[in-house]
DNA sequence: CGTACGTTTGATCTTTCTCAATAATGGTGG
DNA sequence: CCACCATTATTGAGAAAGATCAAACGTACG
């Protein structure tokens, strides 16, 4: 829960009471296997789930069974703000890896958000950032070629992980198969494989197993048409600057 | 402002005081021409803008200058909830038609949202629905073919207009050029044109000027893989049922 | 009445998909 | 520890949806 609290505090200053209220929220920790669903499309959710450890994706299926991945959830993300006010889930959330989540009863969460303005503000702030990431996702899928799409998703993931202290600038462990990467970028797994290979051949990245190393971070961002603004993360530099 | 109030009330029950507070918000009405920008990417916005009459789009540009349209704004939509908490705009909003908007100072809006829980809840609810629509937009652009994409955007627009009482089930006036339709569906205008023609040839729609008539609404939804659930609108039937 | 913008049409090209098959890799039970 | 199985990754060849380039046609409006 610590990581979630940190995340919220980065978005709005919380009082000691606010912090306590969050830590005292009734909750149940659960361990989930890779592939497990937290919510399915059409569910009537009873909990607000926070991802403590591990990775998950948001996804929707078309009528023809094609899958589109909509977002990656990383530790500290609240998976379920939607479900606080929307009665029926419009998309599914599935674990990518074995994970630990905290389940908070929907009403308890709703209560704390409505009665504590600072927490309410942090939650709104957080959902707005999520929307911003989703907008960039549309641009990625809609208007960039395969090379840029893959490069972009790698950049995004790396920066988000780093902002939470979950990766260094050198590289990171990508918790997805190439098929999942394909469903995130609206490509076929075959094409994903080819693009990854060319990115590697061009010396932009190297791969061992699922691990991605950035051999030329600047060039990769260029290829990706990546600009971190939409993530609304305060970069390390800015954090340091603000502390002075 | 009446239309915005209606919209909010549909999302959370407001007290008389809440309603009054909204109507007494300091605001300035402005008339804007088609093509005018309300926000540009990178702007530091000072207002929260509500679309009273006319249509607008949200959009982003890639580094190569390609445009992706992210959402259609219709009368009653708040364009700028983002900007209440995010300091820098990550996308642009441009008018599609000559329109009337209400500008509310950012602080005044923030104040009312933070101090009146019912209004806060309605605003959160509203942004969550917007996210849901955006998620479906990703699916549309990412995983459907050109035919389905165009059909889908037509269905979506029709249902949203109808839910606000701005169109009948028969058809509606599409306030976009085929080029804009192309940027909304991630296609080229040439291809949009061809798809529109085939939809017409198949007897699903007919067109005169920008007006779209639904000649076979059921079949069109089928082609579009359209299911209104993601819009989270209470359909006319449900509204009637709830009133009994 | 002419100009600018939007629509329509044709021909050709490219990216990415599909289908098919083989090679790694990791996990499991014996 | 090893053999086997299921997933995942890689490679090739051909097909197709949609893009690009080019140009003509309408239509609204100053």
């Amino acid at each position: 829960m610590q990581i979630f609290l940190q995340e919220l505090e980065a978005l709005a200053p919380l009082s000691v009471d606010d912090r306590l209220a969050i830590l005292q929220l009734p909750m149940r920790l659960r361990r989930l296997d890779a592939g497990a669903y937290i919510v399915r499309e059409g569910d009537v959710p009873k909990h607000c789930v926070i991802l403590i450890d591990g990775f998950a994706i948001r996804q929707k299926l078309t009528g023809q069974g094609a899958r589109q991945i909509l977002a990656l959830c990383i530790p500290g993300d609240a998976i379920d703000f939607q479900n606080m006010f929307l009665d029926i889930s419009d998309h599914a959330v599935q674990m990518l890896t074995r994970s630990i989540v905290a389940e908070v009863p929907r009403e308890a969460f709703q209560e704390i958000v409505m009665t504590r303005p600072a927490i309410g503000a942090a939650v709104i702030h957080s959902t707005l950032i999520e929307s911003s990431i989703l907008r960039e996702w549309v641009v990625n899928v809609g208007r960039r070629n395969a090379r840029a799409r893959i490069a972009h998703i790698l950049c995004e993931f790396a920066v988000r992980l780093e902002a939470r202290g979950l990766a260094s600038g050198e590289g990171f462990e990508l918790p997805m198969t190439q098929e999942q990467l394909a469903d995130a970028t609206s490509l076929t797994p075959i094409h994903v494989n080819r693009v990854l290979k060319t990115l590697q051949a061009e010396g932009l990245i190297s791969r061992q197993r699922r691990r991605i190393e950035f051999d030329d971070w600047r060039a990769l961002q260029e290829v990706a048409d990546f600009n971190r603004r939409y993530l609304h993360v305060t970069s390390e530099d800015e954090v340091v600057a603000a502390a002075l």
Side-chain angles (χ1 to χ4, degrees), chain A:
Chain A
M1 209 58 181
Q2 204 53 47
I3 193 168
F4 174 63
L5 194 54
Q6 258 172 45
E7 174 53 17
L8 277 189
E9 292 212 76
L11 300 178
L14 301 183
S15 70
V16 178
D17 277 3
D18 289 334
R19 250 174 270 150
L20 226 81
I22 289 177
L23 290 173
Q24 289 174 350
L25 233 29
M27 75 177 72
R28 193 161 62 111
L29 286 181
R30 289 181 59 193
R31 147 163 264 122
L32 294 172
D33 280 334
Y37 283 88
I38 293 181
V39 210
R40 283 172 189 273
E41 216 177 315
D43 272 4
V44 178
K46 303 236 177 324
H47 299 283
C48 203
V49 177
I50 291 150
L51 189 53
I52 304 294
D53 189 52
F55 296 92
I57 49 169
R58 298 179 189 283
Q59 59 177 34
K60 289 189 90 161
L61 300 176
T62 68
Q64 290 69 241
R67 173 172 68 168
Q68 177 65 50
I69 292 178
L70 304 160
L72 301 175
C73 303
I74 68 177
D77 281 344
I79 287 174
D80 255 352
F81 281 157
Q82 292 76 30
N83 301 325
M84 235 179 345
F85 289 95
L86 266 29
D87 288 328
I88 183 162
S89 181
D90 54 71
H91 67 285
V93 179
Q94 189 178 22
M95 306 312 312
L96 279 178
T97 61
R98 179 177 290 258
S99 315
I100 297 168
V101 301
E103 283 183 352
V104 181
R106 185 183 147 123
E107 293 71 28
F109 210 98
Q110 210 164 334
E111 159 98 21
I112 209 178
V113 166
M114 302 277 281
T115 55
R116 297 184 167 274
I119 295 180
V123 166
I124 295 181
H125 200 153
S126 159
T127 63
L128 292 178
I129 291 176
E130 209 181 302
S131 290
S132 175
I133 296 175
L134 198 52
R135 282 190 286 271
E136 185 68 28
W137 205 279
V138 178
V139 174
N140 202 41
V141 157
R143 285 296 187 209
R144 286 198 263 260
N145 64 25
R147 213 166 99 92
R149 280 186 219 178
I150 302 274
H152 196 277
I153 204 174
L154 294 179
C155 290
E156 172 175 319
F157 203 37
V159 170
R160 287 179 60 202
L161 286 177
E162 207 177 346
R164 295 245 171 113
L166 298 170
S168 78
E170 308 306 307
F172 65 97
E173 188 74 22
L174 187 68
M176 317 171 83
T177 66
Q178 292 181 6
E179 183 170 6
Q180 289 159 341
L181 210 42
D183 286 336
T185 50
S186 306
L187 298 166
T188 53
I190 291 98
H191 205 60
V192 167
N193 181 275
R194 289 180 174 143
V195 169
L196 282 174
K197 279 188 43 189
T198 67
L199 289 177
Q200 182 161 25
E202 293 165 344
L204 297 174
I205 61 172
S206 51
R207 299 175 295 147
Q208 38 270 340
R209 212 46 233 95
R210 300 268 169 88
R211 188 169 175 82
I212 307 285
E213 301 281 345
F214 298 120
D215 294 340
D216 189 343
W217 175 239
R218 193 146 297 279
L220 187 68
Q221 290 179 86
E222 191 75 28
V223 165
D225 182 31
F226 179 78
N227 177 326
R228 68 171 63 195
R229 175 158 68 199
Y230 75 95
L231 291 173
H232 295 277
V233 292
T234 38
S235 75
E236 293 305 313
D237 297 346
E238 291 170 72
V239 170
V240 171
L244 295 178

